[in-house]
Amino acid sequence: MNPAGDRSRDARRRGIVLAAPWIWLLAFFFAPFAIVLTISFSQGIDAMPPFAPLVDISRDGVDLRATLGSYQLMLSDDLYYVALWNAVRIAAVSTIICLLIGYPLALAIVRAPASSRSFLLMLAILPFWTSFLIRVYAWMALLRPTGIINSALMWLGLIVQPVQMIDNAFAVHLGIIYSYLPFMVLPLYAALEKIDPALGEAAADLGARPMRIFAAVTLPLSLPGAAAGCLLVFIPAVGEFVIPDLLGGPNTPMIGRVLWNEFFANRDWPAASAIATVLLAILVAPIVVFQQLRARIAEKNR
Amino acid sequence: MDTCNRGPLTGPAETMAGAPALRLERLSKSFAGVPAVSQATLEVRRGELFSLLGASGCGKTTLLRLIAGLETPDAGRVIIDGVDMTDRPPYERPVNTVFQSYALFPHMSVAGNIAFGLRQERLGKAEIRDRVRAMLELVQMADVGERRPHQLSGGQRQRVALARSLAKLPKVLLLDEPLAALDRKLREQTQIELINIQAKTGITFILVTHDQDEAMSMSTRIAVMAAARIVQIGRPEEIYEAPASRLVADFVGRVNLVDGEVLACESGMAVIRAADGSGELRVRHGTVLMPGAQVWVAVRPERLVIGDAPPTDGVNRGHGTVSEIAYFGDMTVYHLASPAGRRVRLTVANAARGAVALPRRGETMAYYWAPDSGVVLTQ
Amino acid sequence: MTRRLSFPLAAALGLGYAFLYLPILLLIVFSFNESRLVTVWTGFSTRWYIELAGNARILDAAGLSLVVAALSASIALILGTLAAYALTRFGRFRFRLLFAGLLAAPLVMPEVITGLSLLLLFVLLEQAIGWPAERGVATIVIAHATFATAYIAVVVQARLAGLDRSIEEAALDLGARPWKVFVWITLPRLAPGLAAGWLLAFTLSLDDLVVASFVSGPGATTLPMVIFSSVRLGLSPQINALATIVIVVVFTAVVLAGALLTRRDISKI
């Protein structure tokens, strides 16, 4: 057989397999971002769709009508960077608390007897499969002034009047931590499970006490998993809309919610596009780090 | 009491008075009701290179982990250097382990791995540095201290694991199949190195292995384990020449076993009638055997001599058809089918190059063996 | 080693699961409450389930959501499997890094960005080529298939990486052509992963509010969109009843999927 012909047949076969996902991803994932970027430079108009084309071709010639108006709006109005700063801060704080809750949980699952490990793991990720919206809704019923927690505390006599627990930043943190906890536990579990138990035994054998073993062996070796978990929580949390909308009240603007309002309430598509562009620009670095981390972890697993 | 046969290798510590390096008293451990170690009792003297030999699953690794404190015994005591350590956690025991997988910390350099145990003792920086350097030199790895474990070859990793455990100057060093992951050439070379390091440091070594050659060539004494029990403890030549049971005889080296009944036993010579009707066997035997007792006669293949004409009277003879021949270079193994239907294994050292005209497959071959070449086994 | 958990770890496990499950449990309990108030227990009743059964708006939306979820999961299954196969079996190919990056990006991409960008694409496409003339089921399906592809690719990749390649090589050696090897050898051994991936994509689609809100038109309202507009107005025991049904269905599906997936695959998502 002719090896060159073989190789070209092989290449053709690969091309066929790759074509569909490539086309789909470029058309429905990559191209839309280019469009968002373009429209963020266009002018809003009162029409459908509510933005002017960037390039206007008329009898007088080609007219470029790009504008930085939407970006200037973002700079001039406090609302945008307060919302952006809020989003980053709330997402970061929630991520850290998620890590503090998720780490012992993941460690406990890994250290549990082998027979119950997969059951415990399934229990930890089960909420991730149920509706996100429903889980946020569950907290609304818990946190309201007339809600279950307040009623219980008053019945116990611990408080005399309801404590404000909803429509503030506290509720948003809680909602994010609750909703994203499984995303933290999974990569942590994967990283902790991969650590050879013999390493801990070797450390004990060499004289390290349990706390030292954790600090010197378990913790450093689980860092890639912790980093992956943090990014998996932080990145989507920054753009979160549902949680601040349902639990945050009017005083906790977050950037995802502002984008939603610009788009649906104000019908200002260029402004929404500009917000999306800025948000993406902020998140590009963590997304790239996340991808590299994933690639590195996958490489190690090979 | 028997004495050690390997004076130069056991080091100066051996002659020191005092408690044995390790004593196990009726140590037992089972997992989910299945015994892994049952009633293990043994004593290891200072400076010994002691082997735990057995097939996989016989409990030898569990026994090692019980000594290290990585498993808690169900019953029995572990006494290290005269101190009862049964209830102490691993980090308080003066023993260190070379793990089968080496268990090197992947996120630390070679030097960091070796220093780890020393840091737990809160030694000074300078002292740790000196000890790490000394250990790297001991295992001939002085130039790779800054590398990470994944940059090392298997043999290098093994040495780092050894250096890491030796750095703490343990009372007893435990080695769990330390050579299993190495290829054959490297394994033989490392065996010699291990013996040299043991002699140089004088530290007591306890080696777990499933490889009888390794145990035989390296150890001062061997404990043979089978089915969670220690079945025999002795010097390599005792284990080989005077196995305590058929099981040991069969596990350590190859053996021809014939079962039979004792006809007579006088002045150390036992006369045994083979059960297959092939005749009477004479074995020089140390203890008294009761006539009528059921016994087994074990003869090592290399003790069978080819030939027709026995030089003296009273030797045991036999013949058979050559059914298989395996040439190993240094020796040749023959399998004979005896007239009674037994398989006889016989090895011949190839002392001269192609000199002797040896039998071929299908030919009949006669052999004999002297009465003091066999062993009578009662269990 | 099967040692018992130390006390702090056992406590972490207990508190962690209490935190995860108490809100859901209370939600279910109050779906059987007699009163309209979903926070004060007055007595057992199934009236909200009966009212729910008569709520045409919710039932229509649920039907639409199921159709969308099934369609988008099926498209994503094909795309995701092809992509995962390419990434695990083709070694290096041109733009591999970009391909892998594009494929995995939806895993973390904020939904508002995905939703907005897809909507703008659909609007521009409509202007340029007249398609899609109306936004609705088709556009939601496309949008959901896009992000579900990422999840399926991850699950299938993990599964493929765990498969012994020598079995495929043995089939090639025995004379099977590559596509036959894929159909007769790889695919059957991949089946549990594919089933689990499809279920995952299906639930993700059922769950999505944000992306669907952007790309949907006036004619198509999915279940999360109905729930959201209702919840925004306040708590409603009918939503509790609906939530209970969703939770029961999903838990059953996950237990099924859990039987199909090995622990290894789950932990790699």
Side-chain angles (χ1 to χ4, degrees), chain A residues 196 198-210 212 216-217 220-221, chain B residues 65 90-92 95-97 99 103-108 116-117 120 164 168:
Chain A
D196 181 359
L199 293 180
E201 292 181 351
D205 185 70
L206 292 166
R209 285 160 185 284
R212 272 291 296 158
V217 179
L221 288 174
Chain B
R65 291 170 61 85
Y91 47 84
E92 287 176 4
V95 298
N96 288 119
T97 309
F99 288 78
L104 296 178
F105 304 126
H107 56 302
M108 297 179 197
F116 184 88
Q120 309 312 316
R164 183 176 72 173
K168 296 200 60 161

Side-chain angles (χ1 to χ4, degrees), chain A residues 120 123 132 137 178 193 263, chain C residues 17 20-21 119 207 240 263:
Chain A
L120 289 174
L123 220 53
F132 181 67
Y137 171 78
Y178 183 72
E193 197 214 17
F263 183 84
Chain C
Y17 287 142
L20 282 175
Y21 283 97
L119 169 75
D207 196 21
N240 280 50
R263 198 157 26 92

Side-chain angles (χ1 to χ4, degrees), chain C residues 51-206:
Chain C
E51 274 189 27
L52 183 70
N55 188 330
R57 202 163 155 253
I58 284 185
L59 293 183
D60 289 350
L64 182 83
S65 273
L66 290 174
V67 170
V68 167
L71 284 174
S72 61
S74 303
I75 293 173
L77 185 67
I78 295 167
L79 293 170
T81 306
L82 288 175
Y85 187 80
L87 282 175
T88 42
R89 292 291 193 259
F90 285 3
R92 283 165 203 283
F93 55 86
R94 236 185 300 173
F95 304 119
R96 187 183 194 277
L97 216 61
L98 177 68
F99 184 74
L102 278 180
L103 191 66
L107 290 178
V108 288
M109 190 60 68
E111 292 164 314
V112 284
I113 297 182
T114 313
L116 176 69
S117 62
L118 275 166
L119 169 75
L120 295 178
L121 172 80
F122 291 138
V123 170
L124 286 191
L125 274 179
E126 188 191 345
Q127 279 187 316
I129 59 170
W131 180 91
E134 187 182 60
R135 290 187 297 279
V137 175
T139 49
I140 305 175
V141 166
I142 289 173
H144 285 181
T146 303
F147 69 70
T149 299
Y151 282 86
I152 289 184
V154 169
V155 173
V156 175
Q157 239 179 301
R159 187 101 198 163
L160 267 174
L163 289 186
D164 185 0
R165 270 214 79 170
S166 61
I167 293 182
E168 285 166 38
E169 284 164 355
L172 285 170
D173 182 67
L174 292 168
R177 308 204 145 266
W179 67 269
K180 278 202 165 166
V181 173
F182 182 77
V183 171
W184 291 107
I185 308 292
T186 315
L187 218 48
R189 301 207 304 150
L190 218 48
L194 296 180
W198 190 90
L199 276 175
L200 178 59
F202 185 82
T203 37
L204 285 170
S205 167
L206 269 188

Side-chain angles (χ1 to χ4, degrees), chain B residues 275-340:
Chain B
D276 61 8
S278 60
E280 286 177 10
L281 303 169
R282 285 159 192 279
V283 185
R284 210 178 293 286
H285 191 266
T287 55
V288 180
L289 292 164
M290 280 298 152
Q294 280 296 318
V295 293
W296 292 266
V297 175
V299 193
R300 297 287 181 192
E302 69 274 14
R303 300 288 149 76
L304 299 179
V305 186
I306 302 184
D308 246 336
T312 53
D313 199 31
V315 296
N316 307 291
R317 277 176 246 206
H319 61 89
T321 321
V322 178
S323 62
E324 271 170 56
I325 304 173
Y327 176 73
F328 284 93
D330 53 347
M331 60 163 187
T332 304
V333 176
Y334 295 91
H335 284 210
L336 310 182
S338 80

Side-chain angles (χ1 to χ4, degrees), chain A residues 84-169:
Chain A
L84 198 56
W85 168 238
N86 259 341
V88 171
R89 196 197 52 202
I90 291 175
V93 171
S94 305
T95 302
I96 291 166
I97 299 174
C98 237
L99 179 65
L100 295 179
I101 299 175
Y103 200 104
L105 200 57
L107 192 63
I109 299 173
V110 171
R111 299 271 166 90
S115 51
S116 53
R117 212 174 293 153
S118 44
F119 173 72
L120 289 174
L121 183 67
M122 194 175 78
L123 220 53
I125 57 164
L126 201 51
F128 155 74
W129 292 72
T130 57
S131 168
F132 181 67
L133 204 51
I134 287 173
R135 279 179 291 147
V136 177
Y137 171 78
W139 278 103
M140 291 174 72
L142 286 171
L143 295 176
R144 278 150 59 99
T146 57
I148 294 159
I149 295 178
N150 269 315
S151 310
L153 289 177
M154 278 161 73
W155 183 78
L156 286 170
L158 292 173
I159 52 173
V160 282
Q161 61 183 53
V163 178
Q164 179 65 38
M165 288 187 286
I166 200 167
D167 295 341
N168 55 21

Side-chain angles (χ1 to χ4, degrees), chain B residues 109-163:
Chain B
S109 66
V110 165
N113 265 280
I114 298 173
F116 184 88
L118 302 173
R119 291 211 184 95
Q120 309 312 316
E121 291 176 11
R122 299 179 191 281
L123 296 181
K125 269 211 167 93
E127 193 179 351
I128 290 180
R129 204 182 48 230
D130 291 346
R131 269 237 234 150
V132 169
R133 194 182 307 138
M135 283 303 143
L136 283 170
E137 273 164 21
L138 180 70
V139 297
Q140 297 161 34
M141 299 270 291
D143 45 346
V144 298
E146 289 319 305
R147 293 219 197 133
R148 291 293 174 102
H150 70 264
Q151 296 169 306
L152 304 178
S153 70
Q156 287 175 316
R157 280 181 215 182
Q158 196 271 343
R159 290 184 208 194
V160 175
L162 181 66

